[in-house]
Amino acid sequence: MANPQAVDNLADGIDLTSGEYRLRRRQIAMGSVFEIILDGDRDEVELRALIESAFAEVVEPLEMQLSHYRSGSEISWINENAHRGPVRVEPRLFDLLMECADLTSITQGAFDVTIGPLVRCWGFHRKEGRVPSTEELAEVRERVGMEHVVLDAQAGAVAFDREGIELNLGGIGKGYVVDRVVEYLTRYGAHCALVASGGSTVYAMGVPPISEDGWHVGVRPAGAEGERIGSLHLTDAALSTSGDFRQHFVEGGVRYGHIIDPRTGWPARGVRAACSVTASGTRADALSTAFVVLGTEDTESLCSKYGERALLVSLNAENEPETRQFGQPILEQARSMGGIS
Amino acid sequence: MTNQTGLDRRQFLKTAATIAVGAHVVTQSARAQDGERMRMALLGCGGQGTVLLTNALRVPEIEWVATCDIVEEAAQAAAARVGEGCQAFTRYEDVLANVELDAVAIATPLHWHAPMAIAAFQSGLHVFCEKCMAYTVDDCKDMIRAQMSANKILQVGHHLRYHPLYWHAKRGFIDAGLLGDITSIYGQWNRNNSWRRPVNVAGDYTEWGYPDAEHLVNWRLYKEYSGGLMTELASHQIDVVTWMIGKTPIAVQAMGGVDYYDDGRTVPDNVHVTFAYPDGVKFDYISGTTNAFSIFGSQCHEVIKGTKGTLVMCHLNPGPTDSAGWFFPEEGTQREIWMDMAHKVDIGGHEAIVLDATITEGPPLAGQPISTLIDGEGHLAKMTYQLEFEEFVISCREMKLPSCDGLTGLKSAADAILANQAIETGETIPFPEDLYTITM
């Protein structure tokens, strides 16, 4: 039976525009619906084998490896043992952890895979949000921070400098799995596919037969009900959204969203949702979360420095969504609603 | 119905005694002594080999010194996963001839299990062999004979034998008599995919029996290499039933065919099997590839039904715990007092008692109390694949029979193979009395 704890409702912010394609398969994975659309001028038996094996040989094993919910996963193994000394990890996972460290660096700590204890402390892991006490928060923050994770590239091993540190790839794992599926499909000669994880990260490979402009993808304020705020065409690029429209709680008249700033220990304020379009699902997944935490000024600065593209959604005084874009604009067709720019 | 399982108890005791005696008389490899790491090679580095290696790397007593696969890239990737000091090979004969080893783990296509295991025993090594044990019943028996001659350990990879929840079901419910008289069993492993893999390798593999790379990659789909759904999936659950009820079948009826996937495969894409056991017990089993629905939320489960209650065991859950189990007391039967206090859930309108393996008593599993290997929600402290290698180390060092030894592997393999015969012939296949008997 699916355990509700496993359902990590990241932003459900991407609409896959309907269209004609040869094969589509959806499967529950990593606590959300993973989806692959595959097209191409190939034998149907081959296409079906390819799409099925992408799930069986990539998605399912990676879920087993990356899930911090699954006892016995490699991440759980690291979390249970790395404070005692270096734990050698699968090479690709080590590469991912190196990328996590890099992303922590370029986001000035706004993205951090050691955030798990804070998520629990605020009750978001059980969807029972609560404001922790100052003492509790201070204690938990001692166990959060990528600086406590030692990555030994020579040995391919990870160690923690103290007990209680844990890795939680919830903010990047889905994007990573999307990339690995894209890599797998490419290796088998696919050149036209859409790979999506939980409606929060999608990678568009090639150009679909019905459109020379790429795969048409719609964007909603992440997790919000209602209409799209716009759409774009994607080709050989990833789009990811993050937001707290759906996961939040209100206490004492104050609204607390589920995206926590690892640097302060408090939920991010201001920006309610963000999108990133970049070359990889891994990076897009992490950056969209980081943009929410960073807020407008720091997101603009990051986009300028690293050539990234961001879309931020906030609510104005009338509670209407306002958007701002940095870098090359993400939305091609923006709906005129409220203060959307 | 009389007990006609064909199990020759004297031969079984002889097998067990031979191995047990060996603990005292055999000089083991110096490297396998306590405190030193066992040097092992992985033969077969495909999907399952990679799963085994990933989990076995967490067993510090094992040093993986070689990997081998006829697809060189696969062997190299596995060696890289291990790290420095692990050599990659493409021929298993070269591994056995050139690498100082204590044991091998075999995770190749089924038809290669027996030749490789026998060669390893002849090289004086212990063998961990993935399930299904071997391609034919005679292959299984040849493996056991080679093992006995070498006086080494043979362990077969029915990993559910290393699952805390299954141990709890066995000890806490079945052995405790909570099911009453067990009269029928239902099992399924249903999926909704073709089981076909895209071809990702090139090369000439005719020497190994594959006319082209497609046959190598999709070996599970061809009778020349595999028993299909019966050997690759059902054998796990046949083993569970044998273990749980302590009986082996006396006959099998079955239907199946290539009825949906017209893609050149030669093994059935669906099997519907009924095993008959002594005392009138029946085990109905289905494995299909076109519908994955299950009321229990798991594509793979066993339902053991008795006069006092029903036990359901699941693994491959979509949830985080990988497994789950429930007990449904029969209406009108006297309930144990503890059942009123037990954690319960509603499944299909029925009150189900959630199995809690943290209270399991009895002998340890792989040297560890079962209660420490799982929590109350079913989260495993260690994967079953890791536990089976932990027990393999203990078995090799102490020359003790593992929970899933060769005779255990033979039984489920033979049952699966005879079910395939029933599918092919359309006839009821009675089980020969000597089906599980090993003669030297």
Side-chain angles (χ1 to χ4, degrees):
Chain A
M1 294 270 163
N3 185 326
Q5 289 174 38
V7 180
D8 179 8
N9 280 333
L10 273 182
D12 179 17
I14 296 172
D15 279 341
L16 304 182
T17 302
S18 60
E20 292 182 11
Y21 36 78
R22 296 278 304 282
L23 214 55
R24 178 178 197 163
R25 189 178 175 98
R26 293 173 168 175
Q27 193 168 311
I28 300 291
M30 307 187 79
S32 60
V33 178
F34 204 96
E35 181 163 6
I36 302 173
I37 292 173
L38 195 55
D39 214 318
D41 183 21
R42 297 173 70 173
D43 175 66
E44 189 174 338
V45 170
E46 274 185 53
L47 275 184
R48 186 169 60 198
L50 184 52
I51 204 166
E52 288 172 353
S53 60
F55 279 103
E57 296 191 356
V58 182
V59 178
E60 291 169 13
L62 284 177
E63 179 179 15
M64 292 298 291
Q65 179 186 37
L66 302 178
S67 172
H68 61 276
Y69 289 113
R70 284 184 180 275
S71 44
S73 73
E74 193 159 6
I75 286 296
S76 294
W77 185 254
I78 293 168
N79 288 341
E80 288 159 16
N81 295 283
H83 66 280
R84 300 191 189 96
V87 174
R88 190 175 150 76
V89 301
E90 186 261 330
R92 296 294 298 268
L93 176 55
F94 187 84
D95 292 344
L96 174 61
L97 296 179
M98 290 289 280
E99 187 166 359
C100 289
D102 184 51
L103 284 160
T104 300
S105 171
I106 70 171
T107 62
Q108 301 167 31
F111 173 79
D112 194 315
V113 292
T114 66
I115 200 166
L118 278 172
V119 175
R120 269 202 309 281
C121 174
W122 282 87
F124 287 114
H125 66 303
R126 290 189 184 275
K127 299 184 173 48
E128 296 168 355
R130 64 181 187 92
V131 179
S133 69
T134 308
E135 296 76 22
E136 192 181 356
L137 205 53
E139 188 275 324
V140 169
R141 288 183 65 199
E142 292 292 313
R143 294 184 277 119
V144 173
M146 202 62 187
E147 66 272 19
H148 302 303
V149 178
V150 182
L151 295 170
D152 182 344
Q154 190 73 29
V158 58
F160 301 150
D161 72 359
R162 62 188 63 186
E163 199 168 352
I165 303 293
E166 59 185 79
L167 302 176
N168 176 336
L169 300 182
I172 195 169
K174 291 187 177 72
Y176 175 69
V177 176
V178 165
D179 285 345
R180 290 290 298 270
V181 169
V182 169
E183 175 188 295
Y184 182 84
L185 297 176
T186 304
R187 179 148 44 98
Y188 287 97
H191 49 78
C192 183
L194 203 65
V195 182
S197 176
S200 63
T201 299
V202 61
Y203 187 95
M205 178 203 291
V207 176
I210 59 168
S211 169
E212 293 179 355
D213 300 326
W215 294 88
H216 194 204
V217 178
V219 178
R220 283 178 288 150
E225 305 299 334
E227 296 182 57
R228 297 173 175 178
I229 59 170
S231 64
L232 68 154
H233 285 82
L234 274 183
T235 300
D236 296 329
L239 161 70
S240 187
T241 77
S242 294
D244 67 4
F245 281 91
R246 188 167 293 172
Q247 287 192 65
H248 64 272
F249 70 94
V250 178
E251 187 172 309
V254 179
R255 183 185 185 284
Y256 298 96
H258 83 288
I259 296 179
I260 297 172
D261 187 338
R263 302 166 300 185
T264 65
W266 284 80
R269 305 291 297 274
V271 173
R272 300 289 298 276
C275 297
S276 165
V277 170
T278 190
S280 85
T282 309
R283 190 173 176 89
D285 195 359
L287 285 182
S288 61
T289 305
F291 292 157
V292 174
V293 172
L294 286 171
T296 307
E297 281 184 25
D298 287 343
T299 295
E300 182 175 19
S301 169
L302 187 152
C303 289
S304 170
K305 187 173 180 183
Y306 296 102
E308 295 293 344
R309 305 165 66 186
L311 165 71
L312 304 185
V313 182
S314 308
L315 294 183
N316 63 17
E318 283 74 44
N319 223 27
E320 295 167 330
E322 283 184 343
T323 64
R324 293 195 64 181
Q325 302 194 63
F326 302 110
Q328 182 188 343
I330 288 176
L331 294 184
E332 296 162 0
Q333 302 167 13
R335 247 175 49 82
S336 175
M337 53 184 287
I340 288 178
S341 57
Chain B
M1 204 170 282
T2 57
N3 187 332
Q4 297 176 353
T5 64
L7 172 62
D8 183 331
R9 180 168 169 77
R10 282 172 301 173
Q11 288 295 341
F12 168 74
L13 291 174
K14 181 182 167 189
T15 307
T18 303
I19 294 174
V21 168
H24 304 290
V25 300
V26 174
T27 304
Q28 298 178 47
S29 164
R31 290 196 172 273
Q33 298 296 334
D34 279 353
E36 291 196 32
R37 300 177 79 193
M38 278 180 57
R39 290 169 63 87
M40 287 192 69
L42 175 65
L43 309 183
C45 306
Q48 190 59 22
T50 303
V51 169
L52 290 185
L53 184 63
T54 299
N55 286 276
L57 281 171
R58 300 172 184 174
V59 182
E61 294 87 355
I62 298 176
E63 180 182 8
W64 292 94
V65 294
T67 59
C68 179
D69 199 293
I70 59 175
V71 178
E72 187 173 2
E73 298 78 17
Q76 287 173 341
R81 177 76 183 86
V82 176
E84 203 172 327
C86 184
Q87 283 181 276
F89 293 81
T90 56
R91 305 187 70 87
Y92 75 95
E93 302 97 321
D94 291 345
V95 177
L96 300 180
N98 300 318
V99 183
E100 188 183 354
L101 292 169
D102 296 307
V104 295
I106 298 171
T108 60
L110 179 64
H111 68 129
W112 275 105
H113 286 188
M116 291 186 179
I118 291 167
F121 287 129
Q122 290 170 347
S123 298
L125 305 178
H126 303 292
V127 173
F128 176 95
C129 183
E130 251 305 339
K131 69 88 204 125
C132 188
M133 182 170 168
Y135 182 67
T136 69
V137 175
D138 285 342
D139 282 349
C140 295
K141 293 183 178 182
D142 287 344
M143 286 169 68
I144 293 175
R145 280 189 275 265
Q147 171 220 348
M148 293 173 72
S149 296
N151 210 358
K152 294 292 174 182
I153 294 297
L154 168 59
Q155 184 172 328
V156 180
H158 286 299
H159 66 104
L160 294 176
R161 291 264 180 175
Y162 300 87
H163 200 302
L165 214 53
Y166 280 75
W167 276 100
H168 182 56
K170 170 69 172 162
R171 289 180 186 166
F173 288 82
I174 291 178
D175 291 352
L178 297 185
L179 275 69
D181 295 329
I182 293 171
T183 52
S184 66
I185 301 146
Y186 168 77
Q188 73 166 52
W189 195 328
N190 285 334
R191 306 192 289 200
N192 192 344
N193 69 59
S194 69
W195 214 11
R196 178 171 285 283
R197 296 284 179 268
V199 179
N200 59 345
V201 297
D204 181 357
Y205 302 101
T206 51
E207 178 190 358
W208 305 96
Y210 309 103
D212 51 43
E214 195 277 322
H215 279 71
L216 167 61
V217 170
N218 286 306
W219 62 271
R220 292 176 182 83
L221 302 183
Y222 298 102
K223 285 181 182 174
E224 299 94 310
Y225 321 115
S226 165
L229 296 167
M230 288 311 302
T231 56
E232 307 312 323
L233 302 184
S235 63
H236 275 306
Q237 296 164 287
I238 294 170
D239 178 56
V240 165
V241 173
T242 301
W243 176 28
M244 292 291 159
I245 70 172
K247 297 175 179 174
T248 48
I250 55 174
V252 59
Q253 294 181 332
M255 293 181 75
V258 184
D259 298 320
Y260 187 81
Y261 294 102
D262 181 20
D263 60 1
R265 72 185 60 200
T266 55
V267 301
D269 55 32
N270 69 99
V271 295
H272 299 248
V273 183
T274 300
F275 291 102
Y277 291 78
D279 307 318
V281 178
K282 309 289 190 305
F283 171 27
D284 295 315
Y285 182 80
I286 295 178
S287 182
T289 49
T290 55
N291 184 307
F293 176 76
S294 162
I295 192 173
F296 300 113
S298 167
Q299 56 183 241
C300 176
H301 59 250
E302 302 87 41
V303 180
I304 303 175
K305 307 181 81 170
T307 52
K308 292 183 181 175
T310 301
L311 189 67
V312 178
M313 303 298 302
C314 298
H315 78 286
L316 294 179
N317 263 9
T321 60
D322 192 47
S323 59
W326 305 277
F327 179 68
F328 300 82
E330 272 291 276
E331 291 290 332
T333 56
Q334 187 174 353
R335 292 161 64 97
E336 304 273 328
I337 293 171
W338 64 266
M339 290 180 182
D340 293 332
M341 297 178 287
H343 175 45
K344 303 180 195 72
V345 294
D346 183 287
I347 296 178
H350 297 278
E351 185 181 70
I353 294 171
V354 178
L355 267 60
D356 178 1
T358 61
I359 60 172
T360 310
E361 296 174 344
L365 175 60
Q368 299 146 80
I370 286 175
S371 58
T372 65
L373 295 172
I374 192 167
D375 70 15
E377 294 179 335
H379 295 89
L380 297 174
K382 295 176 179 176
M383 298 292 279
T384 48
Y385 301 112
Q386 180 178 344
L387 285 169
E388 62 184 357
F389 274 95
E390 290 183 353
E391 196 193 45
F392 184 62
V393 170
I394 295 170
S395 297
C396 293
R397 285 182 167 171
E398 302 178 10
M399 287 302 285
K400 286 169 54 175
L401 275 177
S403 300
C404 192
D405 63 344
L407 195 60
T408 303
L410 162 65
K411 289 177 188 171
S412 55
D415 298 353
I417 290 164
L418 263 61
N420 274 338
Q421 285 180 18
I423 291 170
E424 287 198 2
T425 62
E427 296 175 354
T428 300
I429 305 288
F431 276 39
E433 286 193 9
D434 63 350
L435 185 62
Y436 312 125
T437 304
I438 312 297
T439 52
M440 294 300 285

PDB file of all heavy atoms in Angstrom, chain A residues 144-162:
ATOM      1  N   VAL A 144      22.317  20.787  10.168  1.00  0.00           N
ATOM      2  CA  VAL A 144      22.013  21.142   8.781  1.00  0.00           C
ATOM      3  C   VAL A 144      23.152  21.969   8.208  1.00  0.00           C
ATOM      4  O   VAL A 144      23.672  22.860   8.886  1.00  0.00           O
ATOM      5  CB  VAL A 144      20.685  21.941   8.692  1.00  0.00           C
ATOM      6  CG1 VAL A 144      20.456  22.465   7.279  1.00  0.00           C
ATOM      7  CG2 VAL A 144      19.515  21.075   9.146  1.00  0.00           C
ATOM      8  N   GLY A 145      23.521  21.660   6.987  1.00  0.00           N
ATOM      9  CA  GLY A 145      24.554  22.451   6.326  1.00  0.00           C
ATOM     10  C   GLY A 145      25.493  21.563   5.527  1.00  0.00           C
ATOM     11  O   GLY A 145      26.035  20.580   6.033  1.00  0.00           O
ATOM     12  N   MET A 146      25.667  21.908   4.277  1.00  0.00           N
ATOM     13  CA  MET A 146      26.507  21.093   3.391  1.00  0.00           C
ATOM     14  C   MET A 146      27.965  21.109   3.851  1.00  0.00           C
ATOM     15  O   MET A 146      28.745  20.238   3.480  1.00  0.00           O
ATOM     16  CB  MET A 146      26.385  21.634   1.954  1.00  0.00           C
ATOM     17  CG  MET A 146      26.742  20.661   0.869  1.00  0.00           C
ATOM     18  SD  MET A 146      25.680  19.188   0.837  1.00  0.00           S
ATOM     19  CE  MET A 146      26.543  18.223  -0.403  1.00  0.00           C
ATOM     20  N   GLU A 147      28.318  22.101   4.676  1.00  0.00           N
ATOM     21  CA  GLU A 147      29.703  22.147   5.158  1.00  0.00           C
ATOM     22  C   GLU A 147      30.009  20.966   6.081  1.00  0.00           C
ATOM     23  O   GLU A 147      31.186  20.673   6.343  1.00  0.00           O
ATOM     24  CB  GLU A 147      29.969  23.478   5.887  1.00  0.00           C
ATOM     25  CG  GLU A 147      29.201  23.680   7.194  1.00  0.00           C
ATOM     26  CD  GLU A 147      27.831  24.304   6.976  1.00  0.00           C
ATOM     27  OE1 GLU A 147      27.331  24.249   5.838  1.00  0.00           O
ATOM     28  OE2 GLU A 147      27.262  24.847   7.947  1.00  0.00           O
ATOM     29  N   HIS A 148      28.974  20.284   6.544  1.00  0.00           N
ATOM     30  CA  HIS A 148      29.193  19.114   7.404  1.00  0.00           C
ATOM     31  C   HIS A 148      29.382  17.822   6.596  1.00  0.00           C
ATOM     32  O   HIS A 148      29.566  16.759   7.167  1.00  0.00           O
ATOM     33  CB  HIS A 148      28.015  18.928   8.360  1.00  0.00           C
ATOM     34  CG  HIS A 148      27.775  20.119   9.239  1.00  0.00           C
ATOM     35  ND1 HIS A 148      28.758  20.620  10.071  1.00  0.00           N
ATOM     36  CD2 HIS A 148      26.691  20.912   9.398  1.00  0.00           C
ATOM     37  CE1 HIS A 148      28.275  21.681  10.712  1.00  0.00           C
ATOM     38  NE2 HIS A 148      27.036  21.879  10.317  1.00  0.00           N
ATOM     39  N   VAL A 149      29.264  17.943   5.271  1.00  0.00           N
ATOM     40  CA  VAL A 149      29.382  16.768   4.402  1.00  0.00           C
ATOM     41  C   VAL A 149      30.752  16.792   3.733  1.00  0.00           C
ATOM     42  O   VAL A 149      31.102  17.762   3.061  1.00  0.00           O
ATOM     43  CB  VAL A 149      28.265  16.753   3.332  1.00  0.00           C
ATOM     44  CG1 VAL A 149      28.420  15.545   2.411  1.00  0.00           C
ATOM     45  CG2 VAL A 149      26.899  16.764   3.999  1.00  0.00           C
ATOM     46  N   VAL A 150      31.512  15.740   3.944  1.00  0.00           N
ATOM     47  CA  VAL A 150      32.859  15.658   3.378  1.00  0.00           C
ATOM     48  C   VAL A 150      32.816  14.729   2.174  1.00  0.00           C
ATOM     49  O   VAL A 150      32.493  13.542   2.296  1.00  0.00           O
ATOM     50  CB  VAL A 150      33.864  15.116   4.415  1.00  0.00           C
ATOM     51  CG1 VAL A 150      35.269  15.077   3.820  1.00  0.00           C
ATOM     52  CG2 VAL A 150      33.823  15.954   5.681  1.00  0.00           C
ATOM     53  N   LEU A 151      33.138  15.278   0.999  1.00  0.00           N
ATOM     54  CA  LEU A 151      33.124  14.480  -0.218  1.00  0.00           C
ATOM     55  C   LEU A 151      34.563  14.227  -0.659  1.00  0.00           C
ATOM     56  O   LEU A 151      35.286  15.169  -1.006  1.00  0.00           O
ATOM     57  CB  LEU A 151      32.345  15.207  -1.319  1.00  0.00           C
ATOM     58  CG  LEU A 151      30.850  15.410  -1.037  1.00  0.00           C
ATOM     59  CD1 LEU A 151      30.228  16.349  -2.064  1.00  0.00           C
ATOM     60  CD2 LEU A 151      30.126  14.072  -1.028  1.00  0.00           C
ATOM     61  N   ASP A 152      34.962  12.975  -0.619  1.00  0.00           N
ATOM     62  CA  ASP A 152      36.331  12.596  -0.982  1.00  0.00           C
ATOM     63  C   ASP A 152      36.322  12.063  -2.404  1.00  0.00           C
ATOM     64  O   ASP A 152      35.950  10.909  -2.651  1.00  0.00           O
ATOM     65  CB  ASP A 152      36.827  11.525  -0.003  1.00  0.00           C
ATOM     66  CG  ASP A 152      38.268  11.106  -0.292  1.00  0.00           C
ATOM     67  OD1 ASP A 152      38.764  11.404  -1.406  1.00  0.00           O
ATOM     68  OD2 ASP A 152      38.887  10.487   0.591  1.00  0.00           O
ATOM     69  N   ALA A 153      36.713  12.915  -3.353  1.00  0.00           N
ATOM     70  CA  ALA A 153      36.644  12.534  -4.763  1.00  0.00           C
ATOM     71  C   ALA A 153      37.610  11.394  -5.080  1.00  0.00           C
ATOM     72  O   ALA A 153      37.338  10.569  -5.952  1.00  0.00           O
ATOM     73  CB  ALA A 153      36.942  13.746  -5.647  1.00  0.00           C
ATOM     74  N   GLN A 154      38.720  11.364  -4.390  1.00  0.00           N
ATOM     75  CA  GLN A 154      39.711  10.312  -4.637  1.00  0.00           C
ATOM     76  C   GLN A 154      39.137   8.938  -4.283  1.00  0.00           C
ATOM     77  O   GLN A 154      39.261   7.982  -5.035  1.00  0.00           O
ATOM     78  CB  GLN A 154      40.957  10.583  -3.780  1.00  0.00           C
ATOM     79  CG  GLN A 154      42.152   9.705  -4.122  1.00  0.00           C
ATOM     80  CD  GLN A 154      42.789  10.108  -5.446  1.00  0.00           C
ATOM     81  OE1 GLN A 154      42.732  11.277  -5.836  1.00  0.00           O
ATOM     82  NE2 GLN A 154      43.366   9.136  -6.144  1.00  0.00           N
ATOM     83  N   ALA A 155      38.483   8.877  -3.147  1.00  0.00           N
ATOM     84  CA  ALA A 155      37.935   7.599  -2.687  1.00  0.00           C
ATOM     85  C   ALA A 155      36.495   7.384  -3.139  1.00  0.00           C
ATOM     86  O   ALA A 155      35.968   6.282  -2.972  1.00  0.00           O
ATOM     87  CB  ALA A 155      38.010   7.541  -1.156  1.00  0.00           C
ATOM     88  N   GLY A 156      35.871   8.415  -3.706  1.00  0.00           N
ATOM     89  CA  GLY A 156      34.463   8.286  -4.068  1.00  0.00           C
ATOM     90  C   GLY A 156      33.602   8.026  -2.847  1.00  0.00           C
ATOM     91  O   GLY A 156      32.657   7.241  -2.901  1.00  0.00           O
ATOM     92  N   ALA A 157      33.955   8.671  -1.754  1.00  0.00           N
ATOM     93  CA  ALA A 157      33.280   8.382  -0.487  1.00  0.00           C
ATOM     94  C   ALA A 157      32.724   9.654   0.132  1.00  0.00           C
ATOM     95  O   ALA A 157      33.223  10.757  -0.097  1.00  0.00           O
ATOM     96  CB  ALA A 157      34.246   7.713   0.482  1.00  0.00           C
ATOM     97  N   VAL A 158      31.686   9.473   0.921  1.00  0.00           N
ATOM     98  CA  VAL A 158      31.062  10.595   1.622  1.00  0.00           C
ATOM     99  C   VAL A 158      31.116  10.329   3.129  1.00  0.00           C
ATOM    100  O   VAL A 158      30.960   9.195   3.576  1.00  0.00           O
ATOM    101  CB  VAL A 158      29.609  10.813   1.136  1.00  0.00           C
ATOM    102  CG1 VAL A 158      28.761   9.564   1.322  1.00  0.00           C
ATOM    103  CG2 VAL A 158      28.948  11.985   1.847  1.00  0.00           C
ATOM    104  N   ALA A 159      31.380  11.380   3.873  1.00  0.00           N
ATOM    105  CA  ALA A 159      31.388  11.258   5.334  1.00  0.00           C
ATOM    106  C   ALA A 159      30.718  12.498   5.921  1.00  0.00           C
ATOM    107  O   ALA A 159      30.660  13.553   5.279  1.00  0.00           O
ATOM    108  CB  ALA A 159      32.819  11.140   5.846  1.00  0.00           C
ATOM    109  N   PHE A 160      30.184  12.351   7.120  1.00  0.00           N
ATOM    110  CA  PHE A 160      29.607  13.488   7.841  1.00  0.00           C
ATOM    111  C   PHE A 160      30.525  13.828   9.003  1.00  0.00           C
ATOM    112  O   PHE A 160      31.108  12.935   9.630  1.00  0.00           O
ATOM    113  CB  PHE A 160      28.219  13.148   8.393  1.00  0.00           C
ATOM    114  CG  PHE A 160      27.219  12.745   7.346  1.00  0.00           C
ATOM    115  CD1 PHE A 160      26.188  11.854   7.658  1.00  0.00           C
ATOM    116  CD2 PHE A 160      27.281  13.240   6.048  1.00  0.00           C
ATOM    117  CE1 PHE A 160      25.255  11.476   6.704  1.00  0.00           C
ATOM    118  CE2 PHE A 160      26.354  12.867   5.078  1.00  0.00           C
ATOM    119  CZ  PHE A 160      25.340  11.980   5.413  1.00  0.00           C
ATOM    120  N   ASP A 161      30.634  15.105   9.310  1.00  0.00           N
ATOM    121  CA  ASP A 161      31.539  15.485  10.403  1.00  0.00           C
ATOM    122  C   ASP A 161      30.869  15.414  11.773  1.00  0.00           C
ATOM    123  O   ASP A 161      31.471  15.734  12.781  1.00  0.00           O
ATOM    124  CB  ASP A 161      32.158  16.860  10.144  1.00  0.00           C
ATOM    125  CG  ASP A 161      31.163  18.007  10.313  1.00  0.00           C
ATOM    126  OD1 ASP A 161      29.978  17.725  10.618  1.00  0.00           O
ATOM    127  OD2 ASP A 161      31.564  19.168  10.126  1.00  0.00           O
ATOM    128  N   ARG A 162      29.595  15.010  11.789  1.00  0.00           N
ATOM    129  CA  ARG A 162      28.891  14.858  13.066  1.00  0.00           C
ATOM    130  C   ARG A 162      27.688  13.939  12.878  1.00  0.00           C
ATOM    131  O   ARG A 162      27.229  13.720  11.766  1.00  0.00           O
ATOM    132  CB  ARG A 162      28.438  16.213  13.602  1.00  0.00           C
ATOM    133  CG  ARG A 162      27.452  16.918  12.701  1.00  0.00           C
ATOM    134  CD  ARG A 162      27.175  18.315  13.173  1.00  0.00           C
ATOM    135  NE  ARG A 162      28.391  19.144  13.121  1.00  0.00           N
ATOM    136  CZ  ARG A 162      28.473  20.385  13.590  1.00  0.00           C
ATOM    137  NH1 ARG A 162      27.423  20.930  14.163  1.00  0.00           N
ATOM    138  NH2 ARG A 162      29.577  21.075  13.497  1.00  0.00           N
TER     139      ARG A 162
END
